């Protein structure tokens, strides 16, 4: 059996090492390396053949979903399985639209990962069990459209997208950091996301940024 030349792309070195340890005895995989960012991944792809990439979405220099598209342009035959903590249905759909062959949450079992790899090899798109459940249930936001934001929430969302802290935002808008934190929490709740990174990603997708 030809082994799948595999690389792991994740911003946490400990995740890369953990996956290497987990997968080192798999008969159908040849682990060729791990990368912490998109630039090194693309550089490696230009000089090496890669059959499979296990790819995180949160990277320091590029969104993993955008990187997915770049990888497919550089190497259309390379299979990409997203391994992420992002559970937003719209994010999963966009990853598949950008060429991903499957999407798994990081709490998936080794058996689920094995199954998705074998499905990808046969040309199928595969999801872990939890992702299948997410895909089968449209979120309230998707049914209702983008959430309605106040003028102040739009201002704070734009400043959060620029990477500014509550303290800096408070100084710019003449608000206390506590008030800014309250708006931040309200935004996270309205968009049904877990953190500011997801908030910015979803708001961008809904063309609010």
């Amino acid at each position: 059996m030809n082994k799948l030349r595999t690389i792991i792309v994740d911003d946490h070195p400990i995740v890369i090492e953990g996956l290497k340890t987990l997968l080192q005895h798999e008969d159908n995989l040849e682990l060729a390396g791990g990368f912490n960012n998109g630039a090194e991944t693309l550089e490696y792809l230009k000089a090496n053949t890669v059959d499979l990439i296990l790819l995180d979405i949160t990277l320091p220099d590029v969104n993993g979903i955008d990187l997915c598209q770049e990888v497919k342009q550089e190497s259309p035959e390379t299979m990409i399985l997203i391994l992420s903590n992002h559970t937003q249905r719209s994010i999963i759909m966009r990853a598949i639209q950008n060429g991903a062959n499957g999407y798994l949450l990081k709490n998936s079992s080794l058996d689920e990962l094995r199954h998705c790899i074998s499905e990808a090899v046969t040309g199928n798109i595969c999801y872990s069990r939890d992702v299948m459940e997410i895909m089968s249930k449209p979120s309230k936001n998707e049914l209702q459209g983008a959430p309605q934001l106040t003028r102040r929430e739009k201002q704070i969302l734009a400043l959060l997208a620029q990477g500014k802290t509550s303290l800096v935002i408070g100084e710019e808008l003449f608000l206390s950091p506590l008030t800014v934190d309250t708006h931040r929490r309200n935004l996270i709740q309205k968009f049904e996301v877990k953190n500011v990174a997801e908030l910015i990603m979803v708001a961008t997708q809904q063309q609010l940024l």
Side-chain angles (χ1 to χ4, degrees):
M1 186 200 302
N2 287 335
K3 293 194 172 191
L4 299 171
R5 190 172 170 80
T6 303
I7 62 171
I8 301 161
V9 183
D10 194 289
D11 62 330
H12 291 108
I14 197 164
V15 172
I16 293 174
E17 292 310 312
L19 280 168
K20 280 181 180 175
T21 303
L22 195 65
L23 298 172
Q24 63 185 345
H25 300 303
E26 294 298 301
D27 294 336
N28 61 336
L29 301 182
E30 176 198 336
L31 297 173
F35 302 94
N36 299 121
N37 59 64
E40 287 179 4
T41 304
L42 289 171
E43 200 62 38
Y44 184 83
L45 273 175
K46 284 173 186 169
N48 301 274
T49 301
V50 174
D51 300 306
L52 174 67
I53 300 177
L54 303 179
L55 175 63
D56 189 14
I57 285 178
T58 307
L59 298 171
D61 60 341
V62 66
N63 180 317
I65 295 175
D66 295 331
L67 179 62
C68 188
Q69 194 171 38
E70 289 185 62
V71 167
K72 286 292 183 177
Q73 286 167 356
E74 180 70 37
S75 176
E77 299 304 311
T78 299
M79 294 173 289
I80 301 171
L81 292 179
I82 302 287
L83 272 177
S84 173
N85 287 322
H86 289 286
T87 58
Q88 196 77 16
R89 191 169 180 266
S90 57
I91 292 173
I92 298 166
M93 289 172 70
R94 194 162 149 244
I96 301 302
Q97 286 163 359
N98 278 17
N101 300 81
Y103 196 110
L104 303 94
L105 298 186
K106 283 187 175 177
N107 63 0
S108 301
S109 66
L110 178 55
D111 280 341
E112 284 182 294
L113 181 53
R114 282 180 183 138
H115 173 66
C116 278
I117 291 170
S118 63
E119 285 291 298
V121 168
T122 59
N124 293 328
I125 288 170
C126 186
Y127 304 118
S128 64
R129 191 177 60 250
D130 287 347
V131 173
M132 283 175 73
E133 202 170 307
I134 293 164
M135 293 302 285
S136 69
K137 296 175 186 169
S139 72
K140 194 168 67 185
N141 274 348
E142 286 174 308
L143 296 172
Q144 293 176 346
Q148 295 299 307
L149 303 182
T150 65
R151 187 177 60 83
R152 182 65 85 197
E153 284 171 342
K154 286 176 185 173
Q155 286 177 318
I156 288 171
L157 179 61
L159 293 168
L160 285 171
Q162 292 170 28
K164 294 183 176 177
T165 63
S166 293
L167 191 64
V168 172
I169 293 171
E171 286 171 359
E172 285 194 26
L173 300 179
F174 305 104
L175 299 170
S176 75
L178 202 62
T179 303
V180 176
D181 281 339
T182 302
H183 283 299
R184 184 202 296 248
R185 279 197 301 275
N186 289 342
L187 283 164
I188 285 171
Q189 201 169 8
K190 277 190 178 184
F191 281 89
E192 297 181 354
V193 292
K194 292 192 174 67
N195 52 44
V196 170
E198 274 191 31
L199 170 67
I200 291 163
M201 194 181 293
V202 175
T204 303
Q205 286 167 6
Q206 295 181 349
Q207 299 182 325
L208 294 171
L209 283 171

